[in-house]
Amino acid sequence: LAMARDAVSHPGAVIHPLDPPTEAATARVDFVNRVLAELEPRKRRNRIQGYDDLLGRLAEALQPEDAPARLRMRTRWKMVMVDEFQDTDPIQWQVVERAFAGAATLVLIGDPKQAIYAFRGGDIVTYLRAASSAGEQRTLVDNWRSDRPLVEALQVVLGGAELGDPGIVVGPVGARHQGHRLAEAPHNAPFRLRVVDRAQFGKQDHQTIPIADLRT
C-alpha cells in the first residue's frame, strides 16, 4: 500500500528496480505498474480528475505530431514565456515542448540555483536539458536587488561553486546598487555566516532542526 501510494503521488516517475534487480524487486515493480494501470480506468469510471490528471492528459493529447491540440494551442499563442522554469516537472515540460517548441517564440526564464521544489516534482534535470537545447542563451549579469558589498561578499564564499551539477556553477555577477543601504543593524557587516551544529540541539546527523528553534 505504501509503495502504491508513493507511485501514485509521483506521476510520470520512471519505475524500475535497483541494480542488480532481484526477484523481489522485480515483483514490486510489476505490482506498482499493475496499480498504475488499474488507477486510470477507475478514475474515469468514477469521474475523478485531479491537477496531475489535467496535465498528464494534456501531455497525452499533444503527443501525436498532428494532434488537434497542438494546432489549437499554436494558433492561439505565438509567444510563450515560462517564468521560474527551474521548478518545472517533466510532464509540464512535455506540454510546453510538444505544443510550442519550433512553432512559437518560446522564452524560458529560470535560475537553477533557486530550484527548491523537488519535493513536489520539480526536476532540475528537465531544466538543464531544456537549457542545453535552447537556440539562444542569455544570462543576467547584474543583481538588481542587493547592494554591491553583499554581492561581492557572497562571491567570495560561493563564486565558482558547482551546485550539484557541472551545469550549475555560481558565476561572476555585478550589482546595480553600489552603496550599502543596511543601517542601524546590531552588526552592520553586509554578510555574516553562522554555523549551527545539530549537537547544540540534541539532534543526530540525519535529523532536521526545526526552523523556529533555528531562528531563536
Side-chain angles (χ1 to χ4, degrees):
L1 183 60
M3 284 190 300
R5 285 176 170 162
D6 199 33
V8 168
S9 65
H10 293 82
V14 178
I15 310 298
H16 64 85
L18 296 176
D19 296 326
T22 63
E23 184 176 344
T26 302
R28 291 188 185 101
V29 170
D30 179 63
F31 166 73
V32 168
N33 285 330
R34 286 169 183 253
V35 168
L36 295 175
E38 179 68 19
L39 182 68
E40 191 62 26
R42 285 196 185 193
K43 286 195 294 188
R44 289 184 184 275
R45 283 199 303 271
N46 291 290
R47 298 182 178 182
I48 294 173
Q49 183 168 243
Y51 180 67
D52 290 327
D53 298 312
L54 292 173
L55 280 172
R57 290 171 187 173
L58 178 56
E60 288 178 15
L62 291 167
Q63 188 169 11
E65 292 283 346
D66 60 347
R70 288 195 187 197
L71 177 61
R72 187 171 180 180
M73 292 174 74
R74 291 172 179 179
T75 301
R76 184 169 183 179
W77 295 294
K78 301 300 183 183
M79 182 174 183
V80 178
M81 296 180 68
V82 184
D83 199 9
E84 304 292 355
F85 185 73
Q86 74 276 357
D87 296 319
T88 303
D89 67 39
I91 295 178
Q92 290 170 335
W93 174 233
Q94 281 182 356
V95 169
V96 173
E97 185 179 34
R98 290 171 181 176
F100 302 114
T105 300
L106 182 57
V107 183
L108 310 176
I109 307 164
D111 179 359
K113 299 188 297 301
Q114 297 184 49
I116 60 173
Y117 285 104
F119 68 91
R120 67 157 175 74
D123 180 18
I124 194 61
V125 176
T126 298
Y127 168 91
L128 293 171
R129 287 176 179 166
S132 66
S133 66
E136 182 179 352
Q137 294 188 22
R138 296 192 180 187
T139 299
L140 185 65
V141 295
D142 285 331
N143 185 314
W144 287 71
R145 177 181 296 167
S146 302
D147 296 346
R148 182 179 58 80
L150 175 57
V151 173
E152 290 180 348
L154 286 170
Q155 284 286 306
V156 173
V157 179
L158 295 173
E162 181 182 301
L163 306 181
D165 187 277
I168 310 175
V169 176
V170 181
V173 61
R176 284 297 171 122
H177 296 290
Q178 295 299 304
H180 179 54
R181 292 172 294 174
L182 182 64
E184 299 181 8
H187 302 279
N188 206 34
F191 175 80
R192 300 174 70 217
L193 179 64
R194 177 175 294 171
V195 178
V196 181
D197 190 299
R198 281 186 173 88
Q200 294 174 245
F201 293 85
K203 301 290 185 181
Q204 301 296 319
D205 286 347
H206 63 283
Q207 293 178 309
T208 301
I209 305 170
I211 190 62
D213 296 342
L214 274 175
R215 286 197 183 102
T216 303

